[in-house]
Amino acid sequence: HQFGPLKGWKTFEKIPKPVQEGMMATALLLESSKIEGSSRILALPFPSEYNVRYPSLFLDYDFLLSRDALYPPADVALSYFIKMAPSTLLLDLTASALDALSRTPSDSIKLASKERTAYRLLLLLSKSDRPHLASNLIVRTILDRPDASSWHRQLLSKSFVRNLLPGQAQGMISLFASSIDFVEQSRESRGLGYLFGPIHQNYHRQFLAQFLDDADFVPPEFCVDILSKLFQTASHVDIRVAVLDSMLSRLVRCADDPLSALAEELMSALGMAIPALGCLNERQQTQDVDWIEAEKTGKLPEVYDDGGIQAFPPLLNVMLRAVTSHGISSDKLLTGFIQRIVLLVIEKSKEESARWVKMFTSKHLPPGQSVYTPSVPVRPGILAFLIQTCSSEVPKYILDLYQQYFLINILPPVELIELNNKVNENIELRSFNEGQYWLSLYGKGADISTSAIVSMLTKPWKSPMVSDGILNPHVQEIVFEQAEAALQLADESFTHWNSFIAALGPRIAQYRSEQDREAWLTYGKPVILHIINRINALRTPAWQRDGNRQPAVLPLTFGLRLWLLICILLTNG
């Protein structure tokens, strides 16, 4: 009555066939005895009285009393010969165990042991010769018992799905995806939503999105379709991040075939994310009804500020990772992604930002007064990011827009200065989301970063990949405009000027590559010469005698001329 020397399949296969069948029947009956309220299996011949594999069987009462002392345990013994075990019998046993678990109160002391019994049987069924029999039960378990997440990852594993036929795998994933909304709506209609809460409701979508990442067991087009539906039905930002990340990972892997049907399908699917990527608040997209309500109440829509008012929100951050050196490696694919997705996100974001800015100025400026501000994305930092990361793939207007944003911050008009002062002096307004966001847009002053564009003159140049792309002479003109603006702000400390000009310095350090040095000589040196000539042209006797001169002070050009001398030495070897 023991499984005795059974140590695994190798010992089991050496046992005579009748003994094997006896061991399997015993193990199944033992597992059945653990399930309260279940019908006794093998009460009748199995599978039928005309085709008997097992006659009607039951276990001796005294034997059942010693079942906990058996070694190995019955479920472990079953795992040794699972491929030979009768899968339909195991299915009935597993379904009974899950039903018994569903009837068990959450505070019952027997809950843990019933979970172990049910989930171990379900795992065994998934490893049987007919693993698809476990599919519906696995989906039901994940949906009905979100607290058992550690078991979920064992039950719905990629190795399990790979053992299914392609149609079976797609059917199971489709069932899971379509059941999520149905289960949640059913709970809400019965007033049970509070028992699970938003964390559990969002868990299923996030679990499925992560499961489909890098999935090789179903066609990629099928995954894209499922992920698209998940994004559209999900409201929580974490789920959308997981879905978007999964789709972008697939797009990155299309680098070897950027014109493939899959790449095209992914681009189309990513298009549906544009409104969310360009919105004010990724937690809750602002709809027309929200704008109308804001106009009535005077309370502006809240801008996403988790992680800081200037930080990229999660969805936007995931999108921008795709354009870095660790993202899309194909120039053609990257260019298409920027043209079809990123630039449209920027346009949508500009619309949202412009509407918010108009409402803010109407609220805080005197009646009839207005102030000019360039229309920039909700997060203007995206412009600098693209210029620094993939300047050859973006159109010239991105550079020009960032320059407008830079100049209005560093040399704001009088009306903008007055409005910024009003916000800064109002402690309550400055502490609110709307005050913080306004100052993050147009209250940076001289603290705005200058490195985004200046750095383009200090590294090897990459020719534009688009017809209206950024050309180097235009970058030089823009950097010189920034130098003019920095001169207007100069004071006796020259803090901001020194910061600006340091970013334009020659790349001659020992750790710098020869390509960086050559780039500076070709692109940076002409701008330095232009700046020296401009400072010398301003420093005239008339300027020195003018008590109201502008700029009030001018920096010395000695350091700049010393750079040029070093360049001559480098050029002559």
Side-chain angles (χ1 to χ4, degrees):
H1 297 304
Q2 296 281 331
F3 293 114
L6 190 60
K7 303 297 183 185
W9 174 252
K10 288 185 178 180
T11 57
F12 178 77
E13 66 180 351
K14 296 176 182 179
I15 298 172
K17 179 73 171 177
V19 179
Q20 290 179 357
E21 293 288 5
M23 283 187 167
M24 279 189 280
T26 301
L28 291 167
L29 287 166
L30 280 168
E31 288 300 303
S32 177
S33 70
K34 300 177 185 177
I35 304 169
E36 294 180 4
S38 67
S39 302
R40 184 167 69 85
I41 64 169
L42 298 181
L44 299 172
F46 177 85
S48 72
E49 59 181 327
Y50 303 107
N51 180 25
V52 179
R53 178 175 178 179
Y54 300 122
S56 176
L57 295 172
F58 64 93
L59 294 178
D60 182 83
Y61 179 74
D62 291 336
F63 178 77
L64 287 174
L65 291 178
S66 63
R67 71 183 180 191
D68 293 335
L70 289 177
Y71 185 83
D75 60 327
V76 176
L78 271 173
S79 70
Y80 294 155
F81 41 78
I82 189 61
K83 295 297 182 184
M84 291 180 62
S87 50
T88 54
L89 204 56
L90 189 57
L91 172 62
D92 292 341
L93 198 59
T94 304
S96 295
L98 289 170
D99 287 340
L101 177 61
S102 67
R103 296 191 299 267
T104 305
S106 59
D107 57 352
S108 171
I109 60 173
K110 296 181 178 181
L111 181 65
S113 63
K114 289 188 176 184
E115 278 189 337
R116 268 195 310 275
T117 298
Y119 297 152
R120 284 178 178 175
L121 284 171
L122 187 51
L123 267 176
L124 287 171
L125 181 62
S126 71
K127 296 173 182 178
S128 70
D129 63 334
R130 298 169 69 184
H132 66 280
L133 295 177
S135 297
N136 289 359
L137 294 179
I138 288 175
V139 170
R140 170 186 151 190
T141 297
I142 294 174
L143 292 172
D144 289 351
R145 307 194 73 85
D147 284 329
S149 58
S150 60
W151 282 101
H152 296 169
R153 302 186 188 283
Q154 297 179 61
L155 295 169
L156 186 54
S157 65
K158 293 185 178 181
S159 60
F160 161 66
V161 182
R162 288 191 185 103
N163 287 330
L164 301 177
L165 295 175
Q168 294 169 347
Q170 292 183 46
M172 179 184 183
I173 293 170
S174 295
L175 175 65
F176 188 5
S178 62
S179 298
I180 292 173
D181 283 330
F182 176 79
V183 169
E184 290 176 4
Q185 290 168 7
S186 176
R187 286 173 183 159
E188 292 297 331
S189 66
R190 289 181 292 158
L192 301 177
Y194 72 95
L195 292 176
F196 296 88
I199 294 177
H200 285 157
Q201 291 177 0
N202 294 319
Y203 163 76
H204 298 124
R205 290 188 176 87
Q206 192 166 11
F207 179 90
L208 182 55
Q210 292 170 346
F211 180 72
L212 290 177
D213 187 28
D214 198 22
D216 57 359
F217 38 78
V218 287
E221 295 80 7
F222 172 79
C223 285
V224 174
D225 182 57
I226 293 292
L227 289 169
S228 298
K229 292 174 181 175
L230 277 178
F231 192 94
Q232 291 166 355
T233 58
S235 57
H236 196 279
V237 67
D238 288 345
I239 301 168
R240 290 187 153 193
V241 165
V243 172
L244 186 65
D245 192 36
S246 184
M247 287 199 288
L248 286 172
S249 296
R250 289 180 176 276
L251 186 66
V252 168
R253 294 194 291 273
C254 290
D256 294 335
D257 192 6
L259 300 178
S260 66
L262 177 59
E264 176 60 31
E265 186 169 350
L266 281 163
M267 286 286 194
S268 299
L270 288 166
M272 52 103 188
I274 290 172
L277 287 161
C279 68
L280 287 170
N281 191 341
E282 290 186 359
R283 283 192 301 264
Q284 184 176 357
Q285 285 180 237
T286 309
Q287 309 296 335
D288 285 340
V289 65
D290 300 315
W291 287 110
I292 294 171
E293 182 66 19
E295 289 169 355
K296 288 180 180 178
T297 62
K299 184 178 180 181
L300 275 74
E302 189 171 285
V303 180
Y304 190 96
D305 61 358
D306 287 4
I309 201 74
Q310 299 186 64
F312 293 141
L315 282 173
L316 190 62
N317 190 51
V318 169
M319 182 194 76
L320 293 179
R321 280 208 309 264
V323 305
T324 65
S325 58
H326 301 292
I328 301 171
S329 59
S330 163
D331 288 342
K332 183 172 290 187
L333 189 60
L334 178 58
T335 302
F337 178 69
I338 290 174
Q339 295 289 322
R340 295 177 59 178
I341 305 299
V342 177
L343 296 183
L344 295 183
V345 168
I346 289 175
E347 289 306 308
K348 171 62 179 175
S349 187
K350 285 169 60 179
E351 292 174 9
E352 292 267 300
S353 175
R355 194 167 184 177
W356 189 95
V357 166
K358 181 180 179 181
M359 190 175 294
F360 182 90
T361 54
S362 297
K363 178 179 178 181
H364 295 287
L365 285 175
Q369 187 175 329
S370 63
V371 59
Y372 166 75
T373 55
S375 179
V376 295
V378 175
R379 291 295 197 270
I382 189 177
L383 304 173
F385 182 91
L386 293 174
I387 292 167
Q388 288 181 304
T389 307
C390 48
S391 59
S392 60
E393 283 85 9
V394 297
K396 171 178 169 288
Y397 79 81
I398 294 295
L399 178 63
D400 292 338
L401 181 57
Y402 184 75
Q403 180 72 341
Q404 294 174 41
Y405 176 67
F406 175 90
L407 293 176
I408 202 161
N409 268 282
I410 202 168
L411 294 174
V414 174
E415 298 85 359
L416 184 54
I417 293 174
E418 291 174 350
L419 180 53
N420 288 342
N421 289 340
K422 177 182 177 181
V423 176
N424 275 310
E425 290 166 3
N426 188 326
I427 297 176
E428 185 178 26
L429 175 58
R430 194 178 65 203
S431 66
F432 286 170
N433 180 268
E434 66 179 85
Q436 291 175 3
Y437 181 59
W438 172 263
L439 293 175
S440 78
L441 285 178
Y442 302 115
K444 291 178 179 293
D447 293 329
I448 188 169
S449 173
T450 61
S451 61
I453 300 177
V454 172
S455 63
M456 298 175 71
L457 302 179
T458 63
K459 57 188 179 183
W461 185 259
K462 190 176 179 182
S463 298
M465 301 288 293
V466 291
S467 59
D468 55 345
I470 299 172
L471 299 175
N472 192 272
H474 187 54
V475 176
Q476 292 175 317
E477 292 173 9
I478 284 201
V479 172
F480 183 71
E481 285 180 9
Q482 292 187 354
E484 282 271 22
L487 283 174
Q488 299 301 315
L489 286 178
D491 55 22
E492 292 181 356
S493 70
F494 291 107
T495 301
H496 299 298
W497 171 260
N498 290 338
S499 174
F500 169 81
I501 208 67
L504 191 56
R507 298 309 190 243
I508 56 176
Q510 190 173 13
Y511 62 87
R512 288 286 181 176
S513 67
E514 185 64 31
Q515 290 85 349
D516 282 351
R517 298 179 195 179
E518 289 297 326
W520 187 87
L521 289 170
T522 305
Y523 311 122
K525 175 184 171 184
V527 177
I528 293 293
L529 279 169
H530 200 10
I531 291 172
I532 291 173
N533 293 335
R534 176 60 175 161
I535 293 173
N536 289 338
L538 289 171
R539 189 182 280 115
T540 62
W543 174 84
Q544 292 175 336
R545 291 192 298 269
D546 187 356
N548 297 316
R549 62 196 178 204
Q550 188 64 27
V553 291
L554 287 170
L556 297 175
T557 60
F558 176 77
L560 305 182
R561 289 184 284 113
L562 185 60
W563 283 349
L564 298 179
L565 177 61
I566 294 172
C567 291
I568 293 173
L569 295 175
L570 287 174
T571 304
N572 294 333

